[in-house]
Amino acid sequence: MTQPVDTIGREAVAIDMIGVHKWFGEFHVLRDINLRIMRGERAVVCGPSGSGKSTLIRCVNRLEEHQRGRIIVNGTELTANLRHIERVRQDVGMVFQQFNLFPHLTVLENCTLAPMQVRGTSHRHAEEIAMHFLNRVRIPEQANKYPSQLSGGQQQRVAIARALCMNPKIMLFDEPTSALDPEMIKEVLDAMVQLAKDGMTMIVVSHEMGFAREVADQMVFMDGGQIVETNTPKQFFESPQHERTKLFLSQILR
Amino acid sequence: MNGAGRSFVLTAAAPVEAPPPAYGTAISRFAASLFATPMNFALTVLSVGMILLIVPPFLNFMIFDATWHGTSRADCLPNAGACWPFIKAKFGQLVYGFYPIDERWRPNLAFALGAALLTPLLIPSAPFKWLNSILFFGVYPVIAFVLLTGGNLDLRNFLLGRLIDWQALAGFGLALGLRWTFWLDFIVSSAALTLIVLIGAILLGASLRTALVSCVTLFASLGAVLLAVDLDFGLRSVETGAWGGFLVTMVVAVTGIVVSLPLGILLALGRRSTLPVVRFLSIVFIEFWRGVPVITVLFFATYMLPLFLPTGVNFDTLLRALVGVALFSAAYMAEVVRGGLQAIPRGQYEAASALGLGYWRTMSTVILPQALALVVPGIVNNFIGLFKDTTLVLIVAIFDLLGQLRASFSDPNWATPVTLYTGFAFAGIVYFVCCFSMSRYALFVERRVNVAGRR
């Protein structure tokens, strides 16, 4: 299950997707996806609405199941084996467009829940970790509030801290700023830039092209369930190879 | 500023002001709400008329014309109001049924113990919630069972005992109310079952330690419960046939409530399971019990079940009614809980999964706390309905409060024109006090779980 896919050392590969297909009913939402993310690499996925970006990253921690092809995360292949899925999910943090904080728990409890329940961390240690990451996203003073008492930007930063508390090796961001008011986007992007500078492996689905330019190592452009183009940010923005990419960029970069 | 002058920019910050005072005095506002329109006026008059029509006669019957002291019907006959001495004379019977008089300290102790354990459980600020819950839900039922029945069940066969004649093998008998052959059987059977589970765990590649720990915990607690009901504490055995009155009402209601909620939660989860077999069985169970009236269930459990069971196997009548009521209300509870589960957005499940929480942890720490908080009114509605439905055990010859009351009407010593009304008034008050307190407590819980930060 975990043998290296080819000659590249498997230690260096964080995520490997090989010939991945997925259908929603009759709809072929992912078509022959081949994507390799190295450790410490930051990939930004963009593309028009409905192109399969979210489905792609949701396959990485198996919130969605792929029907053909292979996905290997941190050397563990995602199959129906629940133990493998659990192992992958413990190593992969995720931040959602709608934050998905637990509304019945305080900010601190949101952050300590998974480490205590899944990793068996002691209550005190879990709180120390949580406060450390709440400090990193610069909202330690909100620790004892409930999510609904926070602004959208603050909630999203809590969501980032919550994911980091599990000490993940990979972070997935599914349009983390799309549900935010414009004035709150920056505070969330700042937290993400900080994370990128610390060397976290990240896949970010986003249309924040400024962010992409600043941190991405690899741009992935999707359309119609396929990866149309992957490139370095410089080449992607300055000399896109594909017609579809050019059209897309011309529409979002006004 | 040119133009019409309608819109302009404030040159200084607008001051923060207090809200305007309410219009008029309290009395004038009250009057306005009662007599504002002819329709309001008519409704007000009608309501006042109805109150005048109902409340004074009610108070007269219950209080002013009532007989308060006396020893027989002769004292009640002259008065038109309630005959409260009747209730006083029959009180013991109404509370305990035909429970032997010199043993009534046992239900009293059970009531007191229940109240002592339940009260701190209901007060949110009281400490030791976990210990308290274990005591109330785990230990208390066993103690209450031993107290009320007398315990000392004559346990003969556990599992293997049906296949192997331990008596012949070991050759020793009774001591302390325990039958050693049963306990030998229990230990050997549990060890064998544990072994089977461990082998299963090895084959499936599951954690050996978890399997061992859960097996030992399960059999140890089962053993403790069995030991408690098997030991001879020197209590006289009281058949459930002798129980009655409020005691039976409480036993049926509390058992129903305590069993139906966890069972209902499991059924609701089962109905939403992705495993087809689990989902199918849950649906069958729920729809079966919802499709049958509770009276049918009780009749079936009491009169028809014995026909299907092998001869010699015989359950207590009250126990059968208890199981019937518990399963029946569990099916209803399941649908209430399912309503709550469906209101939880998918993102909550996804966030929990993405954090690596497994199914049971996701349910117990993320989904159920939110879902149950949403359906507190529905759950309590079921509890109250269940509490009042307990009176249906009457039809299978179990005398609850109402049954005991009706039995006491036939006492010629208390035959007066008002006996019947007095009795039902008393029953009404008891049921109202119980149901109303549940309803008020539910309101309190609802406010509390909704207090901080819901969306």
Side-chain angles (χ1 to χ4, degrees):
Chain A
M1 287 289 148
T2 55
Q3 79 271 27
V5 180
D6 51 33
T7 48
I8 295 175
R10 100 170 192 236
E11 292 305 310
V13 180
I15 300 167
D16 213 348
M17 304 177 92
I18 306 151
V20 173
H21 289 260
K22 175 168 179 63
W23 289 261
F24 283 133
E26 291 289 306
F27 179 53
H28 201 165
V29 59
L30 292 183
R31 295 193 253 162
D32 198 14
I33 299 292
N34 290 280
L35 182 65
R36 172 172 290 168
I37 310 287
M38 308 304 286
R39 254 183 229 303
E41 191 178 13
R42 273 85 57 178
V44 171
V45 182
C46 60
S49 168
S51 59
K53 315 177 291 281
S54 289
T55 311
L56 174 83
I57 69 164
R58 287 158 61 88
C59 281
V60 174
N61 63 355
R62 209 165 171 94
L63 288 184
E64 303 287 357
E65 198 175 315
H66 60 284
Q67 283 132 322
R68 199 192 293 166
R70 302 176 68 188
I71 301 179
I72 299 153
V73 181
N74 260 330
T76 305
E77 176 158 5
L78 283 168
T79 58
N81 186 326
L82 288 175
R83 285 167 168 274
H84 290 185
I85 295 172
E86 267 176 39
R87 195 187 306 156
V88 166
R89 283 178 177 170
Q90 288 178 27
D91 279 347
V92 179
M94 185 159 192
V95 174
F96 299 85
Q97 183 178 356
Q98 298 296 339
F99 328 137
N100 293 347
L101 294 176
F102 306 133
H104 62 302
L105 300 176
T106 63
V107 165
L108 191 60
E109 288 165 343
N110 263 282
C111 293
T112 56
L113 179 73
M116 283 165 65
Q117 293 285 334
V118 180
R119 298 231 193 265
T121 313
S122 74
H123 186 259
R124 230 188 71 207
H125 188 48
E127 286 198 343
E128 281 169 16
I129 297 172
M131 287 314 293
H132 169 74
F133 285 112
L134 287 174
N135 264 310
R136 284 241 327 241
V137 296
R138 296 198 303 278
I139 37 173
E141 71 283 356
Q142 312 286 357
N144 291 313
K145 287 193 181 165
Y146 284 89
S148 62
Q149 293 166 293
L150 307 185
S151 72
Q154 289 172 324
Q155 288 194 45
Q156 195 60 299
R157 284 186 283 154
V158 172
I160 293 173
R162 176 176 75 174
L164 292 177
C165 283
M166 282 295 279
N167 192 22
K169 298 189 175 67
I170 299 168
M171 284 286 285
L172 308 174
F173 292 84
D174 188 0
E175 307 208 25
T177 56
S178 302
L180 296 175
D181 289 338
E183 53 185 329
M184 291 169 183
I185 290 177
K186 187 174 179 298
E187 64 191 51
V188 171
L189 290 180
D190 284 348
M192 290 166 63
V193 170
Q194 169 84 44
L195 200 58
K197 285 185 178 146
D198 292 347
M200 176 67 78
T201 310
M202 292 161 71
I203 304 187
V204 182
V205 172
S206 179
H207 291 151
E208 295 295 332
M209 290 303 135
F211 170 79
R213 266 187 231 268
E214 187 178 347
V215 303
D217 301 310
Q218 185 178 182
M219 292 299 298
V220 178
F221 177 69
M222 287 186 74
D223 187 32
Q226 303 179 67
I227 295 180
V228 174
E229 178 165 354
T230 63
N231 222 329
T232 60
K234 190 172 161 53
Q235 293 220 311
F236 183 80
F237 289 112
E238 285 164 17
S239 52
Q241 303 298 303
H242 204 279
E243 279 308 312
R244 190 67 192 82
T245 317
K246 286 175 191 162
L247 181 65
F248 176 76
L249 287 175
S250 73
Q251 278 165 345
I252 62 165
L253 301 174
R254 275 155 297 169
Chain B
M1 239 148 290
N2 50 12
R6 282 265 191 81
S7 52
F8 61 95
V9 175
L10 289 176
T11 49
V16 176
E17 292 175 59
Y23 177 74
T25 65
I27 294 168
S28 71
R29 262 177 289 145
F30 184 63
S33 66
L34 288 181
F35 303 109
T37 65
M39 186 63 182
N40 276 8
F41 189 85
L43 286 176
T44 305
V45 170
L46 198 68
S47 311
V48 170
M50 300 245 305
I51 290 170
L52 286 179
L53 211 62
I54 295 169
V55 172
F58 177 76
L59 290 179
N60 281 343
F61 179 82
M62 299 294 279
I63 299 167
F64 302 117
D65 293 343
T67 315
W68 293 92
H69 303 286
T71 49
S72 75
R73 65 192 292 262
D75 299 301
C76 290
L77 279 176
N79 298 327
C83 178
W84 295 121
F86 163 70
I87 299 295
K88 198 179 162 200
K90 298 288 179 190
F91 191 74
Q93 207 183 323
L94 292 180
V95 175
Y96 308 101
F98 300 107
Y99 209 92
I101 292 178
D102 49 344
E103 301 288 340
R104 281 183 183 170
W105 62 271
R106 280 153 55 179
N108 283 343
L109 187 59
F111 280 143
L113 210 56
L117 286 173
L118 185 59
T119 314
L121 204 58
L122 295 184
I123 300 172
S125 57
F128 308 119
K129 276 281 175 290
W130 258 110
L131 180 68
N132 200 336
S133 312
I134 291 171
L135 285 178
F136 184 75
F137 293 106
V139 180
Y140 175 68
V142 180
I143 295 176
F145 176 84
V146 170
L147 271 177
L148 294 175
T149 62
N152 194 14
L153 296 183
D154 187 15
L155 298 175
R156 282 160 186 276
N157 293 313
F158 186 62
L159 294 175
L160 294 170
R162 301 182 199 283
L163 307 173
I164 306 169
D165 188 1
W166 296 106
Q167 190 78 38
L169 286 177
F172 34 50
L174 272 161
L176 283 169
L178 304 181
R179 208 177 273 272
W180 292 106
T181 48
F182 170 82
W183 287 97
L184 185 64
D185 181 6
F186 176 76
I187 291 163
V188 173
S189 304
S190 338
L193 281 176
T194 309
L195 203 64
I196 292 171
V197 171
L198 288 184
I199 292 170
I202 293 171
L203 290 180
L204 292 172
S207 153
L208 267 186
R209 198 164 157 270
T210 321
L212 187 64
V213 167
S214 35
C215 272
V216 168
T217 320
L218 178 71
F219 286 118
S221 24
L222 185 63
V225 171
L226 289 174
L227 184 65
V229 299
D230 196 12
L231 267 178
D232 184 2
F233 291 101
L235 295 171
R236 201 170 111 204
S237 166
V238 180
E239 292 287 324
T240 54
W243 303 13
F246 192 62
L247 174 64
V248 163
T249 302
M250 285 310 276
V251 167
V252 179
V254 170
T255 314
I257 287 173
V258 169
V259 174
S260 70
L261 186 57
L263 200 57
I265 291 173
L266 286 180
L267 284 169
L269 293 178
R271 195 167 182 165
R272 286 170 57 85
S273 169
T274 47
L275 308 171
V277 179
V278 174
R279 188 172 59 234
F280 178 73
L281 290 179
S282 306
I283 292 175
V284 167
F285 184 95
I286 292 170
E287 295 306 334
F288 171 76
W289 288 99
R290 287 207 307 167
V292 213
V294 72
I295 294 183
T296 317
V297 172
L298 290 172
F299 256 117
F300 188 88
T302 311
Y303 299 118
M304 294 184 63
L305 203 56
L307 301 178
F308 300 121
L309 290 172
T311 44
V313 179
N314 193 25
F315 294 110
D316 187 272
T317 315
L318 181 62
L319 180 65
R320 275 182 278 172
L322 279 179
V323 172
V325 167
L327 296 184
F328 184 82
S329 41
Y332 275 83
M333 199 57 82
E335 289 298 283
V336 173
V337 174
R338 191 165 69 97
L341 290 174
Q342 278 174 344
I344 305 302
R346 218 177 117 200
Q348 294 287 307
Y349 293 88
E350 289 177 350
S353 299
L355 283 168
L357 294 167
Y359 176 80
W360 291 106
R361 287 205 170 99
T362 301
M363 287 303 158
S364 61
T365 60
V366 176
I367 306 300
L368 282 174
Q370 298 182 59
L372 292 179
L374 285 174
V375 293
V376 167
I379 290 175
V380 175
N381 202 20
N382 269 14
F383 284 169
I384 289 176
L386 171 63
F387 188 83
K388 291 190 289 188
D389 277 352
T390 57
T391 200
L392 290 172
V393 296
L394 186 68
I395 61 153
V396 290
I398 298 169
F399 288 83
D400 74 325
L401 177 59
L402 210 59
Q404 212 53 254
L405 189 71
R406 292 182 48 169
S408 63
F409 289 154
S410 54
D411 184 352
N413 194 26
W414 288 99
T416 72
V418 294
T419 304
L420 199 67
Y421 306 123
T422 309
F424 283 126
F426 174 71
I429 292 170
V430 171
Y431 277 103
F432 180 78
V433 166
C434 293
C435 296
F436 189 63
S437 5
M438 276 196 263
S439 148
R440 295 308 297 185
Y441 182 72
L443 263 183
F444 165 73
V445 170
E446 222 177 297
R447 287 203 196 105
R448 192 180 151 74
V449 293
N450 286 322
V451 61
R454 308 221 133 253
R455 281 186 291 214

